[in-house]
Amino acid sequence: MSTASKPDVADVHVYDTTLRDGAQQEGMNLSVADKLAIAPLLDELGVTFIEGGWPGAIPKDTEFFARAEKDLTFSNAELAAFGSTRKAGGRAHTDTQVRALLDSAAPTITLVAKSDIRHVERALRTDGEENLAMIADTVAYLTDAGRRVIVDAEHFFDGYRFDPDYALRAVTTAFEAGADVVALCDTNGGMLPDWVFDIVSSVRERTDGRLGIHAHNDSGCAVANSMAAVIAGAHHVQGTVNGYGERTGNADLLAVVANLELKLEIPVLGGAGLAEVTRIAHAVSEITNIAPFARQPYIGASAFAHKAGLHASAIRVDPDLYQHIDPRKVGNDMRMLVSDMAGRASIELKGRELGFDLSGQSDLLGRVTERVKDAEANGYTFDAADASFELLLREEIAGTRPAFFRTESWRAIVEHTQQTGEVNAEATVKLHTGDVRVVSTGEGNGPVNALDAALRQSLVTAYPAIEDFELIDYKVRLLDSSHGTDAVTRVLLEMTDGQDSWSTVGVGPNILEASWEALVDSLVYGLIRHEVVPL
């Protein structure tokens, strides 16, 4: 592949297909309301096109376009409707699916067209010439109606490797009929970057039209293939937020645009741009109800997280020594992970991140470092439990952990009724807030849920802020599984107050003790964050 660092291109289209191709991901089911909520975020990011779905073929998408016309106003993007070329043997102006594309009122229409002769003959069950006529007729009809037309040449790369002449004819036919863009699709996701570069370069020599790339990630190369296509001369990239899509997903559009802007210095986003990409990606994750991937390039929580003590020593001198970009350019931040690998430099940097200046306090740093190593040897982990580490740090600094209540006792009972088959959990918590003794009983769908309910009931009168706290994630791991049900248990939980979230860890000989520790730490930390004064 060429070693050119920057293609000769004035602009590159960014085409987002999260609402259509991304929504085909297993387990994802976007409602019309979800799509209407995501689309403005994509526009805010500054993409060129937002593909909304397939009107006429999918009733939900037909409704989306009808509501989008009334309810959405974009500042940066243009809405695109997706559909297919006319049926074999018909005419575009009488094809109901083609007509539905016009009825959507979308200013841009994207047509999927066959470019692999094998698919033409076996899937469409027609001949190559009729397929080319289908492309030409549909593109011409829609452009004559005043719409911008993008053609997605489906299975293009596989088709080109089998019969390059026919695949090229499909591309040139689309351009000759008036298509604004022809996106070359790696539909099966099996290409490698060198192959993509060579093929796009060959096509580039045969046409002056704007070429695009639509890559799937089945070979793990979707982002790399998209970059290779741009370097070879494609001026239009398609993908999805967070790499959503069927099978292994589409090209992660966020990584693609970050690479284009930060590595190749090609400005591609309008609007908020890269500085807001992390926030927008996480907002989309909330709507799709798919947890963010911590190790996602650029925007993941671990993308700029450093753990090794050697790294920390160098980062304290110059953060750029171990980071490929300044994380603030993509709205992310550097994080120091505290673990048994941590040296004093790691602890000092983590303290600074949390708002504590530990420089010059060698004795304190030594004590914290040893406590971390001892705790991790006993099963704790602070990588994903910043709140627990901050409580440990506060305890070492002040000599005592902030206390909002004193626990007298707690218990949990699970009852199975044989006759009805019902399983009920109940927990009782006895504690003291100041001079007041409180006894509360809670019910839940399990013993941990019941403990959580009873603990909150015990504290909410004294500390109303707890009303806003919500448990959003709960993970359990057996640390020595060879011991079976007698194994030591670690619990990680995440809590939010609606604005921010924090994580704590608990370890114990059983799941209830570990969960209780993590729950107590989480409530204590939340009260500290809300600047609540202990009674």
Side-chain angles (χ1 to χ4, degrees):
M1 189 172 72
S2 168
T3 58
S5 61
K6 183 177 178 180
D8 181 18
V9 54
D11 66 312
V12 174
H13 291 171
V14 177
Y15 184 105
D16 183 276
T17 181
T18 303
L19 303 184
R20 201 273 308 173
D21 217 0
Q24 297 185 57
Q25 176 165 313
E26 184 177 5
M28 186 185 295
N29 184 24
L30 297 181
S31 67
V32 174
D34 291 336
K35 290 191 173 192
L36 291 170
I38 292 172
L41 293 170
L42 302 175
D43 179 61
E44 183 183 353
L45 180 62
V47 302
T48 320
F49 299 97
I50 299 171
E51 185 177 84
W54 192 330
I58 302 174
K60 186 166 55 177
D61 290 351
T62 303
E63 181 185 351
F64 167 77
F65 281 97
R67 293 184 58 182
E69 185 180 11
K70 296 184 297 182
D71 300 340
L72 297 181
T73 301
F74 294 150
S75 299
N76 302 293
E78 194 168 279
L79 192 60
F82 180 87
S84 171
T85 56
R86 67 160 172 83
K87 295 181 178 62
R91 295 291 296 170
H93 68 277
T94 59
D95 190 295
T96 57
Q97 290 292 319
V98 174
R99 183 67 234 180
L101 295 173
L102 289 178
D103 292 342
S104 74
T108 295
I109 293 174
T110 300
L111 295 171
V112 61
K114 300 295 185 185
S115 57
D116 184 336
I117 189 62
R118 294 168 298 181
H119 283 262
V120 171
E121 295 172 347
R122 300 176 196 174
L124 291 183
R125 297 187 177 183
T126 188
D127 59 56
E129 294 305 315
E130 174 61 11
N131 179 59
L132 298 179
M134 292 159 60
I135 295 172
D137 182 22
T138 313
V139 171
Y141 173 67
L142 294 173
T143 55
D144 288 346
R147 307 301 170 86
R148 183 203 301 260
V149 176
I150 296 171
V151 172
D152 279 2
E154 189 180 36
H155 295 281
F156 177 82
F157 290 94
D158 291 314
Y160 185 93
R161 285 161 66 89
F162 178 75
D163 185 342
D165 291 336
Y166 187 80
L168 282 167
R169 287 184 66 195
V171 171
T172 56
T173 296
F175 280 130
E176 290 167 359
D180 188 65
V181 178
V182 176
L184 311 180
C185 301
D186 182 17
T187 311
N188 290 340
M191 293 296 108
L192 299 178
D194 283 352
W195 303 352
V196 170
F197 179 85
D198 290 343
I199 292 173
V200 174
S201 297
S202 296
V203 178
R204 177 79 286 159
E205 293 173 357
R206 297 282 296 273
T207 179
D208 294 328
R210 184 186 289 265
L211 297 175
I213 178 68
H214 178 109
H216 285 252
N217 200 40
D218 299 74
S219 64
C221 294
V223 171
N225 287 341
S226 299
M227 299 301 298
V230 172
I231 294 171
H235 298 173
H236 170 109
V237 291
Q238 298 188 2
T240 61
V241 170
N242 300 326
Y244 297 143
E246 63 180 333
R247 305 189 312 277
T248 58
N250 289 44
D252 181 353
L253 197 61
L254 306 179
V256 173
V257 298
N259 284 335
L260 290 173
E261 293 210 350
L262 299 176
K263 306 298 185 180
L264 299 187
E265 299 180 351
I266 302 174
V268 294
L269 293 176
L274 285 183
E276 297 296 326
V277 69
T278 299
R279 175 184 63 82
I280 290 173
H282 290 175
V284 173
S285 292
E286 287 297 315
I287 297 169
T288 62
N289 199 31
I290 295 176
F293 179 44
R295 293 187 291 113
Q296 188 172 350
Y298 288 104
I299 66 169
S302 300
F304 301 96
H306 304 277
K307 185 171 183 176
L310 178 62
H311 285 205
S313 298
I315 288 170
R316 186 170 56 177
V317 177
D318 183 355
D320 291 338
L321 291 174
Y322 281 94
Q323 296 182 153
H324 70 112
I325 65 159
D326 179 348
R328 291 172 296 185
K329 290 183 177 180
V330 290
N332 208 339
D333 202 0
M334 183 183 77
R335 294 171 55 235
M336 294 304 303
L337 302 180
V338 175
S339 73
D340 58 357
M341 297 175 64
R344 297 188 181 196
S346 295
I347 300 296
E348 182 180 338
L349 285 170
K350 186 64 180 180
R352 186 186 306 169
E353 179 186 319
L354 297 174
F356 300 91
D357 184 3
L358 307 180
S359 58
Q361 302 186 57
S362 58
D363 289 343
L364 173 62
L365 289 170
R367 293 199 308 271
V368 174
T369 300
E370 288 307 309
R371 279 198 63 180
V372 167
K373 291 183 177 181
D374 289 344
E376 294 223 346
N378 289 313
Y380 289 83
T381 178
F382 298 103
D383 280 1
D386 279 359
S388 288
F389 173 74
E390 184 172 330
L391 291 176
L392 181 154
L393 183 59
R394 286 176 178 271
E395 185 176 337
E396 286 296 331
I397 292 173
T400 183
R401 179 170 297 203
F404 294 88
F405 56 91
R406 178 172 58 85
T407 303
E408 180 181 316
S409 67
W410 58 265
R411 68 176 181 179
I413 301 171
V414 177
E415 180 184 25
H416 177 265
T417 304
Q418 190 69 30
Q419 185 174 1
T420 63
E422 293 182 352
V423 178
N424 299 301
E426 181 183 288
T428 300
V429 171
K430 300 177 183 179
L431 52 78
H432 299 258
T433 56
D435 295 330
V436 180
R437 182 175 185 264
V438 183
V439 179
S440 295
T441 298
E443 295 179 330
N445 59 11
V448 176
N449 184 227
L451 273 175
D452 184 27
L455 181 58
R456 290 168 185 271
Q457 289 176 31
S458 299
L459 296 173
V460 72
T461 300
Y463 305 110
I466 287 176
E467 190 75 42
D468 296 327
F469 298 173
E470 179 184 358
L471 185 63
I472 57 175
D473 197 13
Y474 177 82
K475 299 184 178 74
V476 179
R477 181 176 178 185
L478 299 180
L479 299 182
D480 46 357
S481 56
S482 61
H483 285 216
T485 57
D486 191 35
V488 174
T489 305
R490 178 166 67 211
V491 167
L492 285 166
L493 63 82
E494 184 176 3
M495 196 166 285
T496 183
D497 57 6
Q499 300 296 322
D500 298 297
S501 64
W502 55 91
S503 299
T504 54
V505 60
V507 174
N510 60 69
I511 190 172
L512 293 183
E513 287 191 52
S515 299
W516 176 261
E517 181 182 15
L519 281 168
V520 168
D521 279 4
S522 190
L523 293 180
V524 168
Y525 181 82
L527 292 172
I528 293 173
R529 285 183 59 89
H530 281 249
E531 300 181 347
V532 176
V533 178
L535 295 175

